[in-house]
Amino acid sequence: YEGADIICYMPVDTRLNAIRFLRLVRPVMAFFIKYEFWSNFLHILKHRNIPTYSVSSIFREDQVFFKWYGRSYANVLKCFTRFFVQNEESKRLLESIGIKDVDVVGDTRFDRVLQIKQAAKHLPICEAFRSGVAGSDSAASSEKASHPDYKVFVAGSSWPPDEEIFIRFFNEHKDWRLLIAPHVIAEEHLKLILSLLKDKKVVRYTQTTPEEAAKADVLIIDCFGLLSSMYNYGDVAYIGGGFGVGIHNTLEAAVWNMPVIFGPNNKKFQEAQGLLKSGGGFEINTYEDFEGLMSSMMNDAAFLKQAGDKAGAFVASLSGATGKVLAKVKL
């Protein structure tokens, strides 16, 4: 990370660990992101009068801080100098327990994904997979110019319940290519994915070349670090986790102006709710939901483009939180 001198894990949140860590680091201010409420660290930072900020935090009425029996838990929130929250509801809840130093600025992740998009990696294998043509010489460039790109469905951070739905659909539909980046890349999970795919030429990212990828129907990303750049090569994104503990990062896909599909466990994710309201995100509960939605996107180019544009516009419209935080922090 540019600008960072030291990157490390924080030690377990015990009083002694917090004392030792802060004695070594000697911060002039501290920032905790979203759901990070480290009780011992926060109480010692407050005791030492070190300005401490909570950024992109978001609160719900059912959290323990706002229950009659949660007063002792709420004390940890009073260690912060200021909160920069995502929405008005969070501000209201904090004010209900006596915390007034609160600004509604939004989520800094919107700024971050726009930044990541600007720094996206060029992935020759993914490019060849999309275009159906490999190479950068003049002959290849000429062929690319005359060859329309394939439509690509990108599945990011997928789990088995997700894969059973979209792989079943694409086993029956040959026109689109399928790019899968599973959340777990253990061999056992990759073998499960391969067992679901029928009559497809499948290649794995770490074991293929642009020439082979250009001829493949399915490309499986079997390594880490490519997901945010990979979305650049897709037309529709599916974000996994919605049939389990909760969906993964939808913004990394939406920032590329593509519609985003996810499962039902998305209610606690404000960005997913925003995508749904904007018309750039779509919830599915069953295979039939997915089949109907994808059929519409495959057969209606205008609908596909409009949904993608709405997803991209949603991300752009909520950028700027970082600047609002920095404007309030006394550096």
Side-chain angles (χ1 to χ4, degrees):
Y1 298 94
E2 286 186 28
D5 294 304
I6 297 172
I7 299 170
C8 67
Y9 289 103
M10 287 177 65
V12 174
D13 186 27
T14 66
R15 187 172 182 276
L16 183 57
N17 279 347
I19 290 170
R20 287 174 171 172
F21 185 83
L22 294 172
R23 186 181 294 153
L24 284 168
V25 176
R26 297 184 180 279
V28 295
M29 63 179 61
F31 295 83
F32 290 80
I33 309 301
K34 213 164 185 180
Y35 302 118
E36 302 294 334
F37 307 118
W38 296 56
S39 179
N40 288 293
F41 278 88
L42 287 166
H43 278 97
I44 294 170
L45 285 163
K46 181 179 173 67
H47 178 72
R48 295 185 180 180
N49 294 316
I50 296 169
T52 304
Y53 304 96
S54 177
V55 178
S56 297
S57 43
I58 185 167
F59 296 94
R60 300 182 307 278
E61 197 166 0
D62 60 357
Q63 288 174 302
V64 66
F65 309 119
F66 311 109
K67 303 295 185 182
W68 63 266
Y69 53 81
R71 291 177 183 173
S72 61
Y73 292 100
N75 285 334
V76 72
L77 301 182
K78 296 178 181 179
C79 294
F80 286 101
T81 306
R82 195 167 201 89
F83 283 86
F84 297 101
V85 298
Q86 293 190 34
N87 57 24
E88 291 289 345
E89 172 69 1
S90 297
K91 182 178 182 179
R92 183 189 67 78
L93 288 168
L94 288 171
E95 288 178 342
S96 74
I97 57 172
I99 296 174
K100 307 294 184 183
D101 293 320
V102 184
D103 291 294
V104 179
V105 300
D107 191 344
T108 55
R109 285 193 306 158
F110 288 88
D111 299 325
R112 181 61 181 149
V113 294
L114 286 163
Q115 189 179 49
I116 290 171
K117 180 182 179 181
Q118 293 298 318
K121 302 171 184 174
H122 174 233
L123 305 175
I125 288 173
C126 291
E127 183 178 318
F129 178 70
R130 178 175 177 81
S131 68
V133 180
S136 57
D137 57 24
S138 58
S141 298
S142 176
E143 188 175 351
K144 285 180 184 177
S146 62
H147 190 289
D149 286 349
Y150 287 93
K151 292 291 186 183
V152 178
F153 180 89
V154 181
S157 299
S158 62
W159 293 83
D162 307 303
E163 291 147 7
E164 289 171 6
I165 290 176
F166 65 74
I167 290 178
R168 175 183 167 187
F169 179 83
F170 284 101
N171 277 338
E172 300 170 5
H173 295 80
K174 312 298 184 183
D175 295 339
W176 283 41
R177 292 188 166 187
L178 180 56
L179 202 167
I180 308 173
H183 186 72
V184 177
I185 58 173
E187 283 299 318
E188 184 177 349
H189 186 197
L190 297 178
K191 287 178 181 176
L192 175 62
I193 293 172
L194 291 170
S195 72
L196 294 173
L197 292 162
K198 308 298 182 186
D199 301 320
K200 299 284 189 182
K201 177 175 173 52
V202 184
V203 293
R204 289 172 52 166
Y205 189 88
T206 62
Q207 300 175 7
T208 194
T209 63
E211 288 73 22
E212 291 178 336
K215 301 173 184 176
D217 302 307
V218 182
L219 171 61
I220 298 176
I221 307 296
D222 56 351
C223 57
F224 294 115
L226 302 182
L227 185 58
S228 58
S229 298
M230 184 189 79
Y231 289 118
N232 181 29
Y233 301 94
D235 296 279
V236 176
Y238 180 97
I239 307 302
F243 290 93
V245 296
I247 56 172
H248 297 284
N249 193 332
T250 55
L251 299 181
E252 286 185 338
V255 74
W256 291 102
N257 287 53
M258 67 169 72
V260 183
I261 304 170
F262 38 80
N265 192 354
N266 60 69
K267 306 301 182 291
K268 293 182 179 180
F269 300 84
Q270 182 166 288
E271 64 277 13
Q273 296 303 299
L275 279 168
L276 289 171
K277 291 176 183 175
S278 74
F282 301 87
E283 176 187 307
I284 62 158
N285 291 274
T286 64
Y287 172 79
E288 287 70 26
D289 290 344
F290 182 81
E291 181 181 40
L293 178 59
M294 277 306 303
S295 294
S296 296
M297 290 184 175
M298 294 171 81
N299 296 319
D300 188 341
F303 172 57
L304 176 62
K305 185 179 186 308
Q306 287 169 6
D309 289 344
K310 287 175 180 177
F314 168 73
V315 176
S317 70
L318 292 177
S319 63
T322 304
K324 293 174 184 176
V325 170
L326 293 176
K328 287 276 188 176
V329 171
K330 297 178 181 179
L331 297 174

